[in-house]
């Protein structure tokens, strides 16, 4: 461990993430403070969708070769390996080292053989950043060969930061950004087994520009050239493709779907699937479209720290139910329902049901069809 005391580091991280204006600034401040206490040579930091643990913005890569992005995410979904993020998300201690997990024999890990060692690193310290049972971010720190392995103190400190950072990333997800008045048709993209995009319709090119800030032609170049400087912008789609192949091969379950915001704050959903008749599940089709309220409601409700019962009340309000109807549906007294509504209003910062629905949904998602019909302040 570095020279900083654990509590001093925890306090410094709390200050850093609290003053961060953007999610990227949050990761930058976090990385700066962590490095002072836990020296490392390379690192990756990702925000994740709490429902799928697929990487979304923000993302930060330090001293890592972008060419290893695909093997890294393939390993997360296709290998039975040590300290997978999905496993750490369910453990009591949300941090662990590769050296300890393999009993000092890291060569037993496919990730070590295919990702860590080829880049000159020897040990890895991983953590998931979670609040309760929901994970909002993940990280991996690496040390070069010849450096001491991460120790138990490093693990304990990284684990102690889990809830602080998870809560900060969740708070970022709740910050509303008014989306622009744009209307895109669903986009369709086709990727081959090497993750090169081989086809895209015009709508997809527009979506890619909105999400990543690069046009369709540039996107083709980026995914076709592993040395392109803008490859880091493609990070969120690589784990999605890996997940789709894992589902097609029967190694994972659930819909390969990714919810994320574009550069202007608009919620977008990407759906991936292996092409029918493709035996090796190499080619993947991805549909990009505006998020519907049903897509983003779970993550927004999580982001505002609502309890399970408060979420039930909000869903009932969003469907137009009155207080007596909510009470009957949830088997509660009307007085209790009013208490829940008051608590929800206070957490979200609204004063009425209409304002509540607008705050939760309209500020995070604008249905292009309805934009011409109604505008909610």
């Amino acid at each position: 461990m570095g020279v900083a005391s654990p509590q001093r580091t925890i306090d410094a991280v709390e200050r850093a993430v609290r003053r961060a204006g953007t999610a990227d600034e949050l990761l930058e401040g976090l990385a700066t403070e962590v490095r002072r206490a836990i020296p490392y040579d390379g690192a990756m930091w990702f925000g994740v969708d709490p429902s799928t643990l697929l990487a979304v913005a923000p993302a930060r890569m330090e001293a890592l070769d972008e060419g290893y992005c695909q093997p890294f995410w393939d390993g997360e979904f296709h290998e039975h390996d040590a300290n997978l993020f999905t496993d750490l998300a369910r453990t009591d201690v949300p941090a662990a080292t590769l050296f300890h997990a393999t009993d000092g024999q890291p060569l037993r890990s496919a990730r070590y053989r295919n990702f860590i060692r080829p880049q000159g690193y020897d040990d890895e310290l991983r953590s998931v950043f979670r609040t309760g049972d929901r994970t909002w971010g993940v990280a991996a720190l690496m040390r070069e060969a010849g450096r001491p392995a991460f120790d138990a103190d490093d693990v304990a400190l990284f684990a102690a930061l889990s809830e602080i950072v998870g809560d900060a990333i969740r708070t970022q997800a709740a910050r509303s950004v008014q989306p622009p008045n744009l209307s895109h048709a669903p986009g369709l993209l086709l990727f081959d087994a090497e993750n090169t995009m081989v086809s895209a319709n015009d709508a997809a090119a527009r979506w890619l520009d909105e999400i990543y800030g690069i046009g369709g032609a540039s996107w083709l170049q980026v995914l076709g050239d592993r040395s392109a400087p803008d490859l880091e912008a493609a990070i969120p789609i690589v784990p999605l493709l890996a997940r789709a192949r894992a589902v097609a091969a029967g190694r994972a379950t659930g819909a390969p779907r990714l919810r994320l915001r574009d550069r202007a704050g608009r919620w977008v959903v990407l759906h991936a699937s292996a092409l029918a008749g493709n035996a090796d599940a190499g080619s993947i089709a991805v549909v990009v479209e505006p998020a519907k309220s049903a897509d983003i409601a779970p993550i927004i409700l999580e982001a505002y720290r609502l309890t399970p019962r408060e979420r039930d009340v909000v869903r009932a309000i969003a469907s137009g139910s009155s207080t007596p109807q909510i009470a009957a549906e949830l088997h509660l007294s009307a007085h209790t329902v009013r208490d829940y509504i008051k608590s929800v209003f206070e957490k979200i910062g609204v004063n009425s049901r209409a304002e509540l629905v607008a705050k939760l949904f309209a500020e995070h998602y604008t249905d292009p069809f309805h934009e011409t019909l109604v505008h909610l302040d």
Side-chain angles (χ1 to χ4, degrees), residues 184-191 197-209 215-217 219-220 286-289:
H184 295 346
L188 177 63
L189 308 99
L190 179 62
F191 295 85
M197 191 178 74
V198 296
S199 181
N201 62 6
D202 291 341
R206 295 178 65 191
W207 276 116
L208 293 175
D209 189 40
W219 183 262
L220 283 167
V286 176
V287 174
V288 190
E289 62 181 355

Side-chain angles (χ1 to χ4, degrees), residues 150-173:
F150 294 102
D151 60 27
D153 290 338
D154 298 326
V155 173
L157 177 55
F158 220 16
L161 298 175
S162 177
E163 186 171 358
I164 296 169
V165 180
D167 185 67
I169 296 175
R170 179 174 65 176
T171 298
Q172 285 286 342

Side-chain angles (χ1 to χ4, degrees), residues 35-165:
R35 187 189 286 271
R36 290 172 178 165
I38 310 175
Y40 61 83
D41 302 301
M44 57 175 61
W45 313 78
F46 295 105
V48 298
D49 183 324
S51 296
T52 63
L53 295 193
L54 287 176
V56 296
R60 178 182 175 88
M61 308 290 285
E62 301 179 57
L64 294 175
D65 187 337
E66 293 93 341
Y68 288 96
C69 187
Q70 181 177 349
F72 172 83
W73 287 109
D74 284 346
E76 285 296 305
F77 296 112
H78 292 271
E79 300 285 351
H80 295 291
D81 212 333
N83 301 338
L84 294 175
F85 289 131
T86 52
D87 293 332
L88 282 178
R90 297 190 295 266
T91 60
D92 293 335
V93 179
T97 73
L98 184 62
F99 190 83
H100 182 268
T102 58
D103 297 322
Q105 302 179 58
L107 281 170
R108 292 163 51 185
S109 163
R111 184 171 66 257
Y112 179 83
R113 298 190 303 269
N114 301 329
F115 178 78
I116 296 174
R117 188 173 64 171
Q119 298 183 84
Y121 297 118
D122 196 47
D123 194 21
E124 177 196 56
L125 169 59
R126 285 189 159 201
S127 180
V128 296
F129 305 124
R130 65 192 186 197
T131 58
D133 62 351
R134 306 294 276 176
T135 295
W136 294 85
V138 299
L141 312 181
M142 276 150 279
R143 283 182 178 164
E144 293 176 348
R147 294 279 302 274
F150 294 102
D151 60 27
D153 290 338
D154 298 326
V155 173
L157 177 55
F158 220 16
L161 298 175
S162 177
E163 186 171 358
I164 296 169
V165 180

